[in-house]
mmCIF file of all heavy atoms in Angstrom:
data_model
loop_
_atom_site.group_PDB
_atom_site.id
_atom_site.type_symbol
_atom_site.label_atom_id
_atom_site.label_comp_id
_atom_site.label_asym_id
_atom_site.label_seq_id
_atom_site.Cartn_x
_atom_site.Cartn_y
_atom_site.Cartn_z
ATOM 1 N N MET A 269 -88.479 -19.204 165.631
ATOM 2 C CA MET A 269 -88.417 -17.704 165.726
ATOM 3 C C MET A 269 -87.914 -17.105 164.409
ATOM 4 O O MET A 269 -86.935 -17.673 163.851
ATOM 5 C CB MET A 269 -87.432 -17.293 166.838
ATOM 6 C CG MET A 269 -88.064 -17.302 168.242
ATOM 7 S SD MET A 269 -87.149 -16.573 169.533
ATOM 8 C CE MET A 269 -85.691 -17.632 169.448
ATOM 9 N N PRO A 270 -88.505 -16.053 163.937
ATOM 10 C CA PRO A 270 -87.955 -15.441 162.681
ATOM 11 C C PRO A 270 -86.759 -14.649 162.942
ATOM 12 O O PRO A 270 -86.410 -14.128 164.043
ATOM 13 C CB PRO A 270 -89.182 -14.524 162.231
ATOM 14 C CG PRO A 270 -89.921 -14.323 163.518
ATOM 15 C CD PRO A 270 -89.660 -15.459 164.439
ATOM 16 N N ILE A 271 -85.901 -14.470 161.932
ATOM 17 C CA ILE A 271 -84.753 -13.715 161.978
ATOM 18 C C ILE A 271 -85.069 -12.271 161.480
ATOM 19 O O ILE A 271 -85.594 -12.239 160.340
ATOM 20 C CB ILE A 271 -83.620 -14.276 161.174
ATOM 21 C CG1 ILE A 271 -83.150 -15.575 161.718
ATOM 22 C CG2 ILE A 271 -82.435 -13.259 161.098
ATOM 23 C CD1 ILE A 271 -82.135 -16.273 160.902
ATOM 24 N N TYR A 272 -84.775 -11.287 162.207
ATOM 25 C CA TYR A 272 -85.001 -9.961 161.683
ATOM 26 C C TYR A 272 -83.717 -9.235 161.340
ATOM 27 O O TYR A 272 -82.681 -9.441 162.100
ATOM 28 C CB TYR A 272 -85.787 -9.138 162.764
ATOM 29 C CG TYR A 272 -87.137 -9.623 163.015
ATOM 30 C CD1 TYR A 272 -87.420 -10.486 164.071
ATOM 31 C CD2 TYR A 272 -88.192 -9.260 162.175
ATOM 32 C CE1 TYR A 272 -88.757 -11.023 164.287
ATOM 33 C CE2 TYR A 272 -89.489 -9.626 162.421
ATOM 34 C CZ TYR A 272 -89.719 -10.552 163.358
ATOM 35 O OH TYR A 272 -91.055 -11.051 163.623
ATOM 36 N N GLU A 273 -83.739 -8.458 160.358
ATOM 37 C CA GLU A 273 -82.621 -7.752 159.822
ATOM 38 C C GLU A 273 -82.752 -6.300 160.217
ATOM 39 O O GLU A 273 -83.769 -5.647 160.059
ATOM 40 C CB GLU A 273 -82.384 -7.892 158.378
ATOM 41 C CG GLU A 273 -81.146 -7.380 157.966
ATOM 42 C CD GLU A 273 -80.868 -7.604 156.418
ATOM 43 O OE1 GLU A 273 -81.636 -8.432 155.833
ATOM 44 O OE2 GLU A 273 -80.040 -6.839 155.860
ATOM 45 N N TYR A 274 -81.621 -5.760 160.832
ATOM 46 C CA TYR A 274 -81.648 -4.466 161.267
ATOM 47 C C TYR A 274 -80.501 -3.689 160.567
ATOM 48 O O TYR A 274 -79.523 -4.220 160.221
ATOM 49 C CB TYR A 274 -81.450 -4.256 162.761
ATOM 50 C CG TYR A 274 -82.653 -4.913 163.539
ATOM 51 C CD1 TYR A 274 -82.685 -6.189 163.732
ATOM 52 C CD2 TYR A 274 -83.681 -4.028 163.999
ATOM 53 C CE1 TYR A 274 -83.739 -6.801 164.421
ATOM 54 C CE2 TYR A 274 -84.707 -4.666 164.748
ATOM 55 C CZ TYR A 274 -84.778 -6.019 164.898
ATOM 56 O OH TYR A 274 -85.787 -6.595 165.515
ATOM 57 N N ARG A 275 -80.686 -2.321 160.426
ATOM 58 C CA ARG A 275 -79.728 -1.448 159.923
ATOM 59 C C ARG A 275 -79.591 -0.304 160.695
ATOM 60 O O ARG A 275 -80.571 0.377 161.016
ATOM 61 C CB ARG A 275 -80.107 -1.142 158.376
ATOM 62 C CG ARG A 275 -79.100 -0.188 157.757
ATOM 63 C CD ARG A 275 -79.554 0.121 156.393
ATOM 64 N NE ARG A 275 -78.949 1.287 155.944
ATOM 65 C CZ ARG A 275 -79.304 2.538 156.159
ATOM 66 N NH1 ARG A 275 -80.417 2.667 156.995
ATOM 67 N NH2 ARG A 275 -78.705 3.568 155.727
ATOM 68 N N CYS A 276 -78.397 0.061 161.024
ATOM 69 C CA CYS A 276 -78.218 1.240 161.897
ATOM 70 C C CYS A 276 -78.241 2.544 161.024
ATOM 71 O O CYS A 276 -77.517 2.642 160.041
ATOM 72 C CB CYS A 276 -76.849 1.123 162.668
ATOM 73 S SG CYS A 276 -76.488 2.575 163.620
ATOM 74 N N PRO A 277 -78.992 3.488 161.418
ATOM 75 C CA PRO A 277 -79.060 4.736 160.649
ATOM 76 C C PRO A 277 -77.814 5.646 160.786
ATOM 77 O O PRO A 277 -77.620 6.452 160.032
ATOM 78 C CB PRO A 277 -80.408 5.502 161.146
ATOM 79 C CG PRO A 277 -80.562 4.906 162.645
ATOM 80 C CD PRO A 277 -80.027 3.439 162.536
ATOM 81 N N GLN A 278 -77.061 5.335 161.799
ATOM 82 C CA GLN A 278 -75.892 6.191 161.996
ATOM 83 C C GLN A 278 -74.613 5.629 161.309
ATOM 84 O O GLN A 278 -73.901 6.316 160.586
ATOM 85 C CB GLN A 278 -75.658 6.288 163.473
ATOM 86 C CG GLN A 278 -76.627 7.130 164.196
ATOM 87 C CD GLN A 278 -76.314 7.604 165.575
ATOM 88 O OE1 GLN A 278 -75.161 7.864 165.833
ATOM 89 N NE2 GLN A 278 -77.191 7.821 166.407
ATOM 90 N N CYS A 279 -74.267 4.401 161.652
ATOM 91 C CA CYS A 279 -73.056 3.842 161.074
ATOM 92 C C CYS A 279 -73.331 2.865 159.848
ATOM 93 O O CYS A 279 -72.363 2.459 159.245
ATOM 94 C CB CYS A 279 -72.142 3.141 162.151
ATOM 95 S SG CYS A 279 -73.016 1.694 162.811
ATOM 96 N N GLU A 280 -74.689 2.660 159.679
ATOM 97 C CA GLU A 280 -75.059 1.914 158.498
ATOM 98 C C GLU A 280 -74.618 0.483 158.317
ATOM 99 O O GLU A 280 -74.570 -0.061 157.373
ATOM 100 C CB GLU A 280 -74.728 2.641 157.227
ATOM 101 C CG GLU A 280 -75.364 4.097 157.179
ATOM 102 C CD GLU A 280 -75.278 4.722 155.812
ATOM 103 O OE1 GLU A 280 -74.544 4.183 154.963
ATOM 104 O OE2 GLU A 280 -76.044 5.638 155.479
ATOM 105 N N ILE A 281 -74.244 -0.095 159.558
ATOM 106 C CA ILE A 281 -73.991 -1.536 159.466
ATOM 107 C C ILE A 281 -75.352 -2.259 159.508
ATOM 108 O O ILE A 281 -76.318 -1.790 159.974
ATOM 109 C CB ILE A 281 -73.131 -1.935 160.658
ATOM 110 C CG1 ILE A 281 -73.723 -1.786 161.933
ATOM 111 C CG2 ILE A 281 -71.768 -1.224 160.587
ATOM 112 C CD1 ILE A 281 -73.145 -2.586 163.120
ATOM 113 N N ARG A 282 -75.290 -3.459 158.956
ATOM 114 C CA ARG A 282 -76.469 -4.337 159.158
ATOM 115 C C ARG A 282 -76.162 -5.479 159.986
ATOM 116 O O ARG A 282 -75.055 -5.983 159.992
ATOM 117 C CB ARG A 282 -76.935 -4.870 157.714
ATOM 118 C CG ARG A 282 -77.423 -3.889 156.767
ATOM 119 C CD ARG A 282 -77.349 -4.339 155.418
ATOM 120 N NE ARG A 282 -78.113 -3.403 154.437
ATOM 121 C CZ ARG A 282 -79.251 -3.690 154.025
ATOM 122 N NH1 ARG A 282 -79.856 -4.829 154.270
ATOM 123 N NH2 ARG A 282 -79.950 -2.890 153.187
ATOM 124 N N PHE A 283 -77.182 -5.958 160.787
ATOM 125 C CA PHE A 283 -77.046 -7.072 161.511
ATOM 126 C C PHE A 283 -78.360 -7.808 161.703
ATOM 127 O O PHE A 283 -79.416 -7.253 161.397
ATOM 128 C CB PHE A 283 -76.417 -6.735 162.976
ATOM 129 C CG PHE A 283 -77.221 -5.720 163.743
ATOM 130 C CD1 PHE A 283 -78.164 -6.153 164.692
ATOM 131 C CD2 PHE A 283 -77.188 -4.421 163.412
ATOM 132 C CE1 PHE A 283 -78.889 -5.287 165.394
ATOM 133 C CE2 PHE A 283 -77.935 -3.501 164.200
ATOM 134 C CZ PHE A 283 -78.820 -3.879 165.105
ATOM 135 N N GLU A 284 -78.240 -9.017 162.055
ATOM 136 C CA GLU A 284 -79.492 -9.942 162.205
ATOM 137 C C GLU A 284 -79.674 -10.343 163.643
ATOM 138 O O GLU A 284 -78.698 -10.524 164.318
ATOM 139 C CB GLU A 284 -79.384 -11.174 161.303
ATOM 140 C CG GLU A 284 -79.425 -10.703 159.842
ATOM 141 C CD GLU A 284 -79.165 -11.926 158.969
ATOM 142 O OE1 GLU A 284 -78.718 -12.891 159.442
ATOM 143 O OE2 GLU A 284 -79.425 -11.839 157.706
ATOM 144 N N ARG A 285 -80.870 -10.464 164.063
ATOM 145 C CA ARG A 285 -81.253 -10.922 165.341
ATOM 146 C C ARG A 285 -82.373 -11.976 165.259
ATOM 147 O O ARG A 285 -83.369 -11.700 164.556
ATOM 148 C CB ARG A 285 -81.697 -9.780 166.280
ATOM 149 C CG ARG A 285 -80.526 -8.897 166.817
ATOM 150 C CD ARG A 285 -79.728 -9.796 167.800
ATOM 151 N NE ARG A 285 -78.658 -8.891 168.307
ATOM 152 C CZ ARG A 285 -77.480 -8.676 167.822
ATOM 153 N NH1 ARG A 285 -77.225 -9.166 166.620
ATOM 154 N NH2 ARG A 285 -76.604 -8.010 168.411
ATOM 155 N N LEU A 286 -82.286 -12.998 165.976
ATOM 156 C CA LEU A 286 -83.344 -13.960 166.108
ATOM 157 C C LEU A 286 -84.245 -13.493 167.206
ATOM 158 O O LEU A 286 -83.731 -13.383 168.399
ATOM 159 C CB LEU A 286 -82.659 -15.330 166.415
ATOM 160 C CG LEU A 286 -83.494 -16.575 166.133
ATOM 161 C CD1 LEU A 286 -83.907 -16.695 164.689
ATOM 162 C CD2 LEU A 286 -82.744 -17.775 166.549
ATOM 163 N N ARG A 287 -85.442 -13.178 166.901
ATOM 164 C CA ARG A 287 -86.208 -12.631 167.960
ATOM 165 C C ARG A 287 -87.660 -13.205 167.889
ATOM 166 O O ARG A 287 -88.156 -13.715 166.801
ATOM 167 C CB ARG A 287 -86.431 -11.084 167.791
ATOM 168 C CG ARG A 287 -85.093 -10.293 167.560
ATOM 169 C CD ARG A 287 -85.361 -8.941 167.631
ATOM 170 N NE ARG A 287 -85.411 -8.369 169.034
ATOM 171 C CZ ARG A 287 -85.727 -7.124 169.317
ATOM 172 N NH1 ARG A 287 -86.048 -6.316 168.385
ATOM 173 N NH2 ARG A 287 -85.719 -6.763 170.499
ATOM 174 N N ARG A 288 -88.386 -13.094 168.959
ATOM 175 C CA ARG A 288 -89.724 -13.509 168.896
ATOM 176 C C ARG A 288 -90.540 -12.365 168.215
ATOM 177 O O ARG A 288 -90.177 -11.183 168.263
ATOM 178 C CB ARG A 288 -90.270 -13.646 170.397
ATOM 179 C CG ARG A 288 -89.609 -14.755 171.124
ATOM 180 C CD ARG A 288 -90.230 -14.860 172.553
ATOM 181 N NE ARG A 288 -90.067 -13.564 173.312
ATOM 182 C CZ ARG A 288 -90.772 -13.282 174.219
ATOM 183 N NH1 ARG A 288 -91.712 -13.922 174.724
ATOM 184 N NH2 ARG A 288 -90.382 -12.176 174.896
ATOM 185 N N MET A 289 -91.594 -12.725 167.580
ATOM 186 C CA MET A 289 -92.303 -11.773 166.829
ATOM 187 C C MET A 289 -92.843 -10.711 167.817
ATOM 188 O O MET A 289 -92.958 -9.478 167.432
ATOM 189 C CB MET A 289 -93.589 -12.481 166.239
ATOM 190 C CG MET A 289 -93.260 -13.160 164.981
ATOM 191 S SD MET A 289 -94.831 -13.829 164.157
ATOM 192 C CE MET A 289 -94.086 -14.281 162.610
ATOM 193 N N ALA A 290 -93.134 -11.056 168.969
ATOM 194 C CA ALA A 290 -93.664 -10.101 169.971
ATOM 195 C C ALA A 290 -92.594 -8.932 170.291
ATOM 196 O O ALA A 290 -92.839 -7.846 170.630
ATOM 197 C CB ALA A 290 -94.075 -10.746 171.282
ATOM 198 N N ASP A 291 -91.339 -9.296 170.020
ATOM 199 C CA ASP A 291 -90.295 -8.395 170.360
ATOM 200 C C ASP A 291 -89.681 -7.633 169.056
ATOM 201 O O ASP A 291 -88.837 -6.811 169.159
ATOM 202 C CB ASP A 291 -89.062 -9.168 170.958
ATOM 203 C CG ASP A 291 -89.355 -9.752 172.347
ATOM 204 O OD1 ASP A 291 -90.307 -9.173 172.927
ATOM 205 O OD2 ASP A 291 -88.687 -10.680 172.708
ATOM 206 N N ALA A 292 -90.335 -7.940 167.953
ATOM 207 C CA ALA A 292 -89.880 -7.460 166.743
ATOM 208 C C ALA A 292 -89.811 -5.949 166.705
ATOM 209 O O ALA A 292 -88.899 -5.347 165.987
ATOM 210 C CB ALA A 292 -90.663 -7.975 165.548
ATOM 211 N N ASP A 293 -90.744 -5.308 167.317
ATOM 212 C CA ASP A 293 -90.830 -3.847 167.200
ATOM 213 C C ASP A 293 -90.115 -3.163 168.437
ATOM 214 O O ASP A 293 -90.153 -1.920 168.589
ATOM 215 C CB ASP A 293 -92.319 -3.378 167.182
ATOM 216 C CG ASP A 293 -92.836 -3.675 165.765
ATOM 217 O OD1 ASP A 293 -92.214 -3.711 164.802
ATOM 218 O OD2 ASP A 293 -94.074 -4.083 165.760
ATOM 219 N N VAL A 294 -89.538 -3.961 169.265
ATOM 220 C CA VAL A 294 -88.806 -3.285 170.396
ATOM 221 C C VAL A 294 -87.527 -2.727 169.821
ATOM 222 O O VAL A 294 -86.771 -3.523 169.105
ATOM 223 C CB VAL A 294 -88.568 -4.470 171.489
ATOM 224 C CG1 VAL A 294 -87.686 -3.887 172.656
ATOM 225 C CG2 VAL A 294 -89.821 -4.974 172.067
ATOM 226 N N PRO A 295 -87.198 -1.561 170.131
ATOM 227 C CA PRO A 295 -85.952 -0.956 169.654
ATOM 228 C C PRO A 295 -84.714 -1.754 170.143
ATOM 229 O O PRO A 295 -84.657 -2.336 171.177
ATOM 230 C CB PRO A 295 -85.859 0.427 170.299
ATOM 231 C CG PRO A 295 -87.389 0.673 170.547
ATOM 232 C CD PRO A 295 -87.955 -0.581 170.875
ATOM 233 N N LEU A 296 -83.823 -1.820 169.205
ATOM 234 C CA LEU A 296 -82.610 -2.674 169.420
ATOM 235 C C LEU A 296 -81.331 -1.731 169.212
ATOM 236 O O LEU A 296 -81.321 -1.057 168.254
ATOM 237 C CB LEU A 296 -82.582 -3.775 168.336
ATOM 238 C CG LEU A 296 -81.728 -5.023 168.679
ATOM 239 C CD1 LEU A 296 -82.299 -5.736 169.836
ATOM 240 C CD2 LEU A 296 -81.634 -5.823 167.455
ATOM 241 N N PRO A 297 -80.470 -1.725 170.239
ATOM 242 C CA PRO A 297 -79.344 -0.967 170.027
ATOM 243 C C PRO A 297 -78.315 -1.483 169.088
ATOM 244 O O PRO A 297 -78.138 -2.708 168.876
ATOM 245 C CB PRO A 297 -78.726 -0.931 171.436
ATOM 246 C CG PRO A 297 -79.192 -2.230 172.116
ATOM 247 C CD PRO A 297 -80.597 -2.323 171.544
ATOM 248 N N CYS A 298 -77.639 -0.562 168.374
ATOM 249 C CA CYS A 298 -76.692 -0.956 167.383
ATOM 250 C C CYS A 298 -75.479 -1.573 168.084
ATOM 251 O O CYS A 298 -74.842 -0.964 168.955
ATOM 252 C CB CYS A 298 -76.254 0.230 166.567
ATOM 253 S SG CYS A 298 -74.916 -0.041 165.496
ATOM 254 N N PRO A 299 -75.028 -2.641 167.638
ATOM 255 C CA PRO A 299 -73.832 -3.349 168.221
ATOM 256 C C PRO A 299 -72.516 -2.608 167.723
ATOM 257 O O PRO A 299 -71.472 -2.827 168.282
ATOM 258 C CB PRO A 299 -73.846 -4.724 167.642
ATOM 259 C CG PRO A 299 -74.599 -4.741 166.417
ATOM 260 C CD PRO A 299 -75.618 -3.523 166.524
ATOM 261 N N GLY A 300 -72.648 -1.825 166.650
ATOM 262 C CA GLY A 300 -71.350 -1.102 166.236
ATOM 263 C C GLY A 300 -71.188 0.130 166.900
ATOM 264 O O GLY A 300 -69.969 0.323 167.517
ATOM 265 N N CYS A 301 -72.101 1.039 166.868
ATOM 266 C CA CYS A 301 -71.834 2.341 167.400
ATOM 267 C C CYS A 301 -72.508 2.662 168.696
ATOM 268 O O CYS A 301 -72.390 3.733 169.297
ATOM 269 C CB CYS A 301 -72.117 3.440 166.321
ATOM 270 S SG CYS A 301 -73.977 3.630 166.017
ATOM 271 N N GLY A 302 -73.615 1.773 169.032
ATOM 272 C CA GLY A 302 -74.174 1.959 170.287
ATOM 273 C C GLY A 302 -75.402 2.932 170.171
ATOM 274 O O GLY A 302 -75.933 3.369 171.206
ATOM 275 N N ALA A 303 -75.809 3.264 168.903
ATOM 276 C CA ALA A 303 -77.052 4.030 168.688
ATOM 277 C C ALA A 303 -78.233 3.280 169.378
ATOM 278 O O ALA A 303 -78.195 2.106 169.333
ATOM 279 C CB ALA A 303 -77.236 4.229 167.245
ATOM 280 N N PRO A 304 -79.067 4.026 169.927
ATOM 281 C CA PRO A 304 -80.127 3.389 170.754
ATOM 282 C C PRO A 304 -81.154 2.483 169.955
ATOM 283 O O PRO A 304 -81.667 1.588 170.603
ATOM 284 C CB PRO A 304 -80.970 4.653 171.436
ATOM 285 C CG PRO A 304 -80.495 5.742 170.517
ATOM 286 C CD PRO A 304 -79.150 5.484 170.042
ATOM 287 N N HIS A 305 -81.341 2.807 168.691
ATOM 288 C CA HIS A 305 -82.181 1.963 167.998
ATOM 289 C C HIS A 305 -81.882 1.860 166.495
ATOM 290 O O HIS A 305 -81.614 2.900 165.883
ATOM 291 C CB HIS A 305 -83.656 2.276 168.180
ATOM 292 C CG HIS A 305 -83.975 3.705 167.954
ATOM 293 N ND1 HIS A 305 -84.009 4.343 166.808
ATOM 294 C CD2 HIS A 305 -84.132 4.763 168.803
ATOM 295 C CE1 HIS A 305 -84.357 5.612 166.837
ATOM 296 N NE2 HIS A 305 -84.383 5.875 168.150
ATOM 297 N N ALA A 306 -81.794 0.598 166.019
ATOM 298 C CA ALA A 306 -81.510 0.448 164.645
ATOM 299 C C ALA A 306 -82.937 0.215 163.909
ATOM 300 O O ALA A 306 -83.884 -0.127 164.515
ATOM 301 C CB ALA A 306 -80.694 -0.759 164.475
ATOM 302 N N ASP A 307 -82.934 0.518 162.628
ATOM 303 C CA ASP A 307 -84.147 0.370 161.853
ATOM 304 C C ASP A 307 -84.316 -1.189 161.412
ATOM 305 O O ASP A 307 -83.361 -1.779 160.956
ATOM 306 C CB ASP A 307 -84.078 1.239 160.572
ATOM 307 C CG ASP A 307 -83.991 2.649 160.882
ATOM 308 O OD1 ASP A 307 -84.693 3.019 161.883
ATOM 309 O OD2 ASP A 307 -83.371 3.342 160.156
ATOM 310 N N ARG A 308 -85.484 -1.635 161.551
ATOM 311 C CA ARG A 308 -85.701 -3.053 161.172
ATOM 312 C C ARG A 308 -85.942 -3.069 159.765
ATOM 313 O O ARG A 308 -86.744 -2.281 159.147
ATOM 314 C CB ARG A 308 -86.958 -3.526 161.911
ATOM 315 C CG ARG A 308 -87.319 -4.938 161.604
ATOM 316 C CD ARG A 308 -88.102 -5.710 162.664
ATOM 317 N NE ARG A 308 -89.328 -4.983 162.952
ATOM 318 C CZ ARG A 308 -90.432 -5.400 162.323
ATOM 319 N NH1 ARG A 308 -90.590 -6.340 161.568
ATOM 320 N NH2 ARG A 308 -91.596 -4.764 162.669
ATOM 321 N N GLN A 309 -85.293 -3.909 158.996
ATOM 322 C CA GLN A 309 -85.492 -4.223 157.596
ATOM 323 C C GLN A 309 -86.364 -5.405 157.381
ATOM 324 O O GLN A 309 -86.674 -6.220 158.334
ATOM 325 C CB GLN A 309 -84.109 -4.475 156.957
ATOM 326 C CG GLN A 309 -83.072 -3.466 157.261
ATOM 327 C CD GLN A 309 -83.285 -2.079 156.553
ATOM 328 O OE1 GLN A 309 -83.279 -2.079 155.348
ATOM 329 N NE2 GLN A 309 -83.679 -1.107 157.376
ATOM 330 N N LEU A 310 -86.900 -5.569 156.168
ATOM 331 C CA LEU A 310 -87.649 -6.711 155.906
ATOM 332 C C LEU A 310 -86.757 -7.884 155.882
ATOM 333 O O LEU A 310 -85.701 -7.936 155.149
ATOM 334 C CB LEU A 310 -88.206 -6.639 154.498
ATOM 335 C CG LEU A 310 -89.593 -5.828 154.432
ATOM 336 C CD1 LEU A 310 -90.044 -5.750 153.023
ATOM 337 C CD2 LEU A 310 -90.645 -6.362 155.401
ATOM 338 N N SER A 311 -87.035 -8.875 156.598
ATOM 339 C CA SER A 311 -86.208 -10.157 156.575
ATOM 340 C C SER A 311 -86.724 -10.964 155.409
ATOM 341 O O SER A 311 -87.704 -10.729 154.777
ATOM 342 C CB SER A 311 -86.376 -10.911 157.853
ATOM 343 O OG SER A 311 -87.682 -11.452 158.024
ATOM 344 N N CYS A 312 -86.026 -12.097 155.243
ATOM 345 C CA CYS A 312 -86.435 -13.067 154.129
ATOM 346 C C CYS A 312 -87.647 -13.679 154.524
ATOM 347 O O CYS A 312 -88.455 -14.169 153.707
ATOM 348 C CB CYS A 312 -85.255 -13.966 153.777
ATOM 349 S SG CYS A 312 -84.519 -14.858 155.116
ATOM 350 N N PHE A 313 -88.009 -13.790 155.860
ATOM 351 C CA PHE A 313 -89.215 -14.338 156.315
ATOM 352 C C PHE A 313 -90.317 -13.493 155.822
ATOM 353 O O PHE A 313 -91.297 -13.784 155.238
ATOM 354 C CB PHE A 313 -89.263 -14.512 157.747
ATOM 355 C CG PHE A 313 -88.596 -15.774 158.181
ATOM 356 C CD1 PHE A 313 -87.261 -15.754 158.497
ATOM 357 C CD2 PHE A 313 -89.270 -16.909 158.387
ATOM 358 C CE1 PHE A 313 -86.640 -16.891 158.969
ATOM 359 C CE2 PHE A 313 -88.702 -18.128 158.825
ATOM 360 C CZ PHE A 313 -87.340 -18.054 159.151
ATOM 361 N N ALA A 314 -90.233 -12.106 156.241
ATOM 362 C CA ALA A 314 -91.276 -11.230 155.880
ATOM 363 C C ALA A 314 -91.407 -10.992 154.388
ATOM 364 O O ALA A 314 -92.535 -10.770 153.850
ATOM 365 C CB ALA A 314 -90.932 -9.866 156.478
ATOM 366 N N ALA A 315 -90.372 -11.216 153.661
ATOM 367 C CA ALA A 315 -90.502 -11.079 152.203
ATOM 368 C C ALA A 315 -91.074 -12.261 151.435
ATOM 369 O O ALA A 315 -91.266 -12.239 150.227
ATOM 370 C CB ALA A 315 -89.007 -10.684 151.612
ATOM 371 N N GLY A 316 -91.173 -13.364 152.211
ATOM 372 C CA GLY A 316 -91.812 -14.591 151.569
ATOM 373 C C GLY A 316 -90.856 -15.672 151.221
ATOM 374 O O GLY A 316 -91.115 -16.428 150.402
ATOM 375 N N GLY A 317 -89.595 -15.523 151.778
ATOM 376 C CA GLY A 317 -88.714 -16.651 151.490
ATOM 377 C C GLY A 317 -87.326 -16.180 151.032
ATOM 378 O O GLY A 317 -87.265 -15.247 150.277
ATOM 379 N N CYS A 318 -86.352 -16.868 151.345
ATOM 380 C CA CYS A 318 -84.961 -16.504 150.993
ATOM 381 C C CYS A 318 -84.757 -17.087 149.590
ATOM 382 O O CYS A 318 -85.211 -18.173 149.213
ATOM 383 C CB CYS A 318 -83.954 -17.194 151.909
ATOM 384 S SG CYS A 318 -84.083 -16.506 153.593
ATOM 385 N N ASN A 319 -83.903 -16.335 148.904
ATOM 386 C CA ASN A 319 -83.453 -16.856 147.655
ATOM 387 C C ASN A 319 -82.136 -17.564 147.796
ATOM 388 O O ASN A 319 -80.998 -17.099 147.382
ATOM 389 C CB ASN A 319 -83.271 -15.742 146.670
ATOM 390 C CG ASN A 319 -84.658 -15.051 146.256
ATOM 391 O OD1 ASN A 319 -85.614 -15.842 146.034
ATOM 392 N ND2 ASN A 319 -84.707 -13.777 146.163
ATOM 393 N N ALA A 320 -82.174 -18.791 148.370
ATOM 394 C CA ALA A 320 -80.978 -19.466 148.578
ATOM 395 C C ALA A 320 -80.522 -20.008 147.247
ATOM 396 O O ALA A 320 -81.288 -20.555 146.393
ATOM 397 C CB ALA A 320 -81.227 -20.680 149.493
ATOM 398 N N PRO A 321 -79.301 -20.019 146.936
ATOM 399 C CA PRO A 321 -78.775 -20.555 145.682
ATOM 400 C C PRO A 321 -78.924 -21.983 145.638
ATOM 401 O O PRO A 321 -78.558 -22.727 146.592
ATOM 402 C CB PRO A 321 -77.243 -20.158 145.725
ATOM 403 C CG PRO A 321 -76.883 -19.901 147.151
ATOM 404 C CD PRO A 321 -78.170 -19.372 147.758
ATOM 405 N N ALA A 322 -79.528 -22.522 144.663
ATOM 406 C CA ALA A 322 -79.933 -23.857 144.465
ATOM 407 C C ALA A 322 -78.863 -24.538 143.583
ATOM 408 O O ALA A 322 -78.450 -24.009 142.576
ATOM 409 C CB ALA A 322 -81.297 -24.062 143.924
ATOM 410 N N GLY A 323 -78.554 -25.753 143.872
ATOM 411 C CA GLY A 323 -77.650 -26.599 143.101
ATOM 412 C C GLY A 323 -76.354 -26.051 142.988
ATOM 413 O O GLY A 323 -75.623 -26.220 142.057
ATOM 414 N N SER A 324 -75.831 -25.467 144.125
ATOM 415 C CA SER A 324 -74.537 -24.862 144.150
ATOM 416 C C SER A 324 -73.496 -25.750 144.867
ATOM 417 O O SER A 324 -72.522 -25.435 145.331
ATOM 418 C CB SER A 324 -74.577 -23.521 144.791
ATOM 419 O OG SER A 324 -75.090 -23.584 146.102
ATOM 420 N N GLY A 325 -73.917 -27.030 144.974
ATOM 421 C CA GLY A 325 -72.980 -28.054 145.531
ATOM 422 C C GLY A 325 -72.875 -27.938 147.067
ATOM 423 O O GLY A 325 -71.826 -27.991 147.618
ATOM 424 N N PHE A 326 -74.000 -27.608 147.640
ATOM 425 C CA PHE A 326 -73.995 -27.497 149.174
ATOM 426 C C PHE A 326 -74.074 -28.824 149.780
ATOM 427 O O PHE A 326 -75.104 -29.320 150.020
ATOM 428 C CB PHE A 326 -75.189 -26.613 149.551
ATOM 429 C CG PHE A 326 -75.367 -26.458 151.065
ATOM 430 C CD1 PHE A 326 -74.334 -25.625 151.739
ATOM 431 C CD2 PHE A 326 -76.304 -26.986 151.798
ATOM 432 C CE1 PHE A 326 -74.513 -25.456 153.066
ATOM 433 C CE2 PHE A 326 -76.398 -26.862 153.096
ATOM 434 C CZ PHE A 326 -75.554 -26.123 153.827
ATOM 435 N N ARG A 327 -72.916 -29.485 149.947
ATOM 436 C CA ARG A 327 -72.881 -30.761 150.676
ATOM 437 C C ARG A 327 -71.522 -30.907 151.296
ATOM 438 O O ARG A 327 -70.536 -30.752 150.610
ATOM 439 C CB ARG A 327 -73.148 -31.884 149.708
ATOM 440 C CG ARG A 327 -74.620 -32.040 149.370
ATOM 441 C CD ARG A 327 -74.819 -33.271 148.633
ATOM 442 N NE ARG A 327 -74.776 -34.459 149.550
ATOM 443 C CZ ARG A 327 -75.122 -35.765 149.132
ATOM 444 N NH1 ARG A 327 -75.804 -35.907 148.041
ATOM 445 N NH2 ARG A 327 -74.848 -36.706 149.925
HETATM 446 ZN ZN1 ZN B 550 -74.490 1.966 164.508
#
């Protein structure tokens, strides 16, 4: 399942949710202020891949 990133238009926090693609456009309430729907941002999946830092000693 892809991770989608959301941003609340009211309190402007960002959060991520693991969702099925079929649910991607279903409005999601903000966990911060309880606004009924947050705006979906482009996730790193949608953008074509994350820019994970390479060779940074991740072991
Ligand atoms: Zn909010």
